[in-house]
PDB file of all heavy atoms in Angstrom:
ATOM      1  N   THR A 177     204.052  50.736 233.223  1.00 38.00           N
ATOM      2  CA  THR A 177     203.201  51.299 234.223  1.00 38.00           C
ATOM      3  C   THR A 177     202.837  52.846 233.932  1.00 38.00           C
ATOM      4  O   THR A 177     203.720  53.490 233.936  1.00 38.00           O
ATOM      5  CB  THR A 177     203.944  51.098 235.581  1.00 38.00           C
ATOM      6  OG1 THR A 177     204.139  49.752 235.729  1.00 38.00           O
ATOM      7  CG2 THR A 177     202.970  51.590 236.761  1.00 38.00           C
ATOM      8  N   THR A 178     201.595  53.064 233.979  1.00 39.00           N
ATOM      9  CA  THR A 178     201.163  54.435 233.772  1.00 39.00           C
ATOM     10  C   THR A 178     200.503  55.079 235.065  1.00 39.00           C
ATOM     11  O   THR A 178     200.242  56.258 235.081  1.00 39.00           O
ATOM     12  CB  THR A 178     200.174  54.520 232.746  1.00 39.00           C
ATOM     13  OG1 THR A 178     198.992  53.717 232.987  1.00 39.00           O
ATOM     14  CG2 THR A 178     200.781  53.943 231.377  1.00 39.00           C
ATOM     15  N   ALA A 179     200.299  54.273 236.103  1.00 39.00           N
ATOM     16  CA  ALA A 179     199.816  54.809 237.283  1.00 39.00           C
ATOM     17  C   ALA A 179     200.760  55.596 238.020  1.00 39.00           C
ATOM     18  O   ALA A 179     202.048  55.514 237.893  1.00 39.00           O
ATOM     19  CB  ALA A 179     199.267  53.612 238.195  1.00 39.00           C
ATOM     20  N   ALA A 180     200.261  56.564 238.974  1.00 37.00           N
ATOM     21  CA  ALA A 180     201.119  57.228 239.741  1.00 37.00           C
ATOM     22  C   ALA A 180     202.022  56.371 240.639  1.00 37.00           C
ATOM     23  O   ALA A 180     201.544  55.397 241.246  1.00 37.00           O
ATOM     24  CB  ALA A 180     200.291  58.313 240.594  1.00 37.00           C
ATOM     25  N   THR A 181     203.276  56.823 240.820  1.00 37.00           N
ATOM     26  CA  THR A 181     204.191  55.981 241.610  1.00 37.00           C
ATOM     27  C   THR A 181     204.846  56.920 242.757  1.00 37.00           C
ATOM     28  O   THR A 181     205.038  58.196 242.542  1.00 37.00           O
ATOM     29  CB  THR A 181     205.421  55.421 240.843  1.00 37.00           C
ATOM     30  OG1 THR A 181     206.058  56.459 240.216  1.00 37.00           O
ATOM     31  CG2 THR A 181     204.828  54.435 239.802  1.00 37.00           C
ATOM     32  N   THR A 182     205.070  56.310 243.883  1.00 36.00           N
ATOM     33  CA  THR A 182     205.616  57.074 244.986  1.00 36.00           C
ATOM     34  C   THR A 182     206.923  56.399 245.465  1.00 36.00           C
ATOM     35  O   THR A 182     206.820  55.238 245.769  1.00 36.00           O
ATOM     36  CB  THR A 182     204.668  57.178 246.152  1.00 36.00           C
ATOM     37  OG1 THR A 182     203.439  57.816 245.601  1.00 36.00           O
ATOM     38  CG2 THR A 182     205.274  57.934 247.311  1.00 36.00           C
ATOM     39  N   THR A 183     207.943  57.066 245.509  1.00 38.00           N
ATOM     40  CA  THR A 183     209.246  56.566 245.969  1.00 38.00           C
ATOM     41  C   THR A 183     209.602  57.246 247.295  1.00 38.00           C
ATOM     42  O   THR A 183     209.726  58.416 247.320  1.00 38.00           O
ATOM     43  CB  THR A 183     210.337  56.710 244.968  1.00 38.00           C
ATOM     44  OG1 THR A 183     209.845  56.172 243.685  1.00 38.00           O
ATOM     45  CG2 THR A 183     211.639  56.133 245.382  1.00 38.00           C
ATOM     46  N   THR A 184     209.969  56.448 248.432  1.00 38.00           N
ATOM     47  CA  THR A 184     210.261  57.114 249.617  1.00 38.00           C
ATOM     48  C   THR A 184     211.640  56.472 250.053  1.00 38.00           C
ATOM     49  O   THR A 184     211.970  55.355 249.946  1.00 38.00           O
ATOM     50  CB  THR A 184     209.246  56.656 250.568  1.00 38.00           C
ATOM     51  OG1 THR A 184     207.916  57.001 250.256  1.00 38.00           O
ATOM     52  CG2 THR A 184     209.570  57.381 251.976  1.00 38.00           C
ATOM     53  N   THR A 189     211.048  62.277 250.111  1.00 37.00           N
ATOM     54  CA  THR A 189     209.905  61.603 249.380  1.00 37.00           C
ATOM     55  C   THR A 189     209.638  62.268 248.100  1.00 37.00           C
ATOM     56  O   THR A 189     209.427  63.452 248.070  1.00 37.00           O
ATOM     57  CB  THR A 189     208.670  61.661 250.271  1.00 37.00           C
ATOM     58  OG1 THR A 189     208.937  61.141 251.671  1.00 37.00           O
ATOM     59  CG2 THR A 189     207.597  61.000 249.647  1.00 37.00           C
ATOM     60  N   THR A 190     209.698  61.420 246.960  1.00 40.00           N
ATOM     61  CA  THR A 190     209.397  62.029 245.588  1.00 40.00           C
ATOM     62  C   THR A 190     208.092  61.414 245.071  1.00 40.00           C
ATOM     63  O   THR A 190     207.965  60.261 245.025  1.00 40.00           O
ATOM     64  CB  THR A 190     210.582  61.616 244.729  1.00 40.00           C
ATOM     65  OG1 THR A 190     211.817  62.109 245.313  1.00 40.00           O
ATOM     66  CG2 THR A 190     210.400  62.312 243.388  1.00 40.00           C
ATOM     67  N   THR A 191     207.198  62.292 244.679  1.00 41.00           N
ATOM     68  CA  THR A 191     205.920  61.718 244.156  1.00 41.00           C
ATOM     69  C   THR A 191     205.802  62.235 242.687  1.00 41.00           C
ATOM     70  O   THR A 191     205.973  63.393 242.423  1.00 41.00           O
ATOM     71  CB  THR A 191     204.742  62.311 244.986  1.00 41.00           C
ATOM     72  OG1 THR A 191     204.858  61.928 246.318  1.00 41.00           O
ATOM     73  CG2 THR A 191     203.480  61.824 244.339  1.00 41.00           C
ATOM     74  N   THR A 192     205.625  61.270 241.747  1.00 41.00           N
ATOM     75  CA  THR A 192     205.477  61.565 240.318  1.00 41.00           C
ATOM     76  C   THR A 192     204.036  61.267 239.939  1.00 41.00           C
ATOM     77  O   THR A 192     203.678  60.049 240.117  1.00 41.00           O
ATOM     78  CB  THR A 192     206.484  60.864 239.505  1.00 41.00           C
ATOM     79  OG1 THR A 192     207.699  61.147 239.978  1.00 41.00           O
ATOM     80  CG2 THR A 192     206.415  61.193 238.057  1.00 41.00           C
ATOM     81  N   THR A 193     203.325  62.150 239.399  1.00 42.00           N
ATOM     82  CA  THR A 193     201.915  61.961 238.987  1.00 42.00           C
ATOM     83  C   THR A 193     201.775  62.394 237.597  1.00 42.00           C
ATOM     84  O   THR A 193     202.192  63.498 237.123  1.00 42.00           O
ATOM     85  CB  THR A 193     200.905  62.847 239.844  1.00 42.00           C
ATOM     86  OG1 THR A 193     201.214  62.506 241.248  1.00 42.00           O
ATOM     87  CG2 THR A 193     199.492  62.523 239.641  1.00 42.00           C
ATOM     88  N   LEU A 194     201.183  61.492 236.721  1.00 43.00           N
ATOM     89  CA  LEU A 194     200.924  61.701 235.448  1.00 43.00           C
ATOM     90  C   LEU A 194     199.696  62.779 235.257  1.00 43.00           C
ATOM     91  O   LEU A 194     198.835  62.766 236.110  1.00 43.00           O
ATOM     92  CB  LEU A 194     200.538  60.519 234.615  1.00 43.00           C
ATOM     93  CG  LEU A 194     201.664  59.458 234.381  1.00 43.00           C
ATOM     94  CD1 LEU A 194     201.117  58.227 233.722  1.00 43.00           C
ATOM     95  CD2 LEU A 194     202.747  60.102 233.669  1.00 43.00           C
ATOM     96  N   PRO A 195     199.590  63.605 234.293  1.00 46.00           N
ATOM     97  CA  PRO A 195     198.511  64.410 234.107  1.00 46.00           C
ATOM     98  C   PRO A 195     197.204  63.767 233.865  1.00 46.00           C
ATOM     99  O   PRO A 195     197.158  62.504 233.563  1.00 46.00           O
ATOM    100  CB  PRO A 195     198.853  65.277 232.793  1.00 46.00           C
ATOM    101  CG  PRO A 195     199.784  64.462 232.068  1.00 46.00           C
ATOM    102  CD  PRO A 195     200.557  63.589 233.112  1.00 46.00           C
TER     103      PRO A 195
END
Side-chain angles (χ1 to χ4, degrees):
T177 302
T178 58
T181 60
T182 302
T183 304
T184 304
T189 301
T190 303
T191 303
T192 304
T193 304
L194 292 178

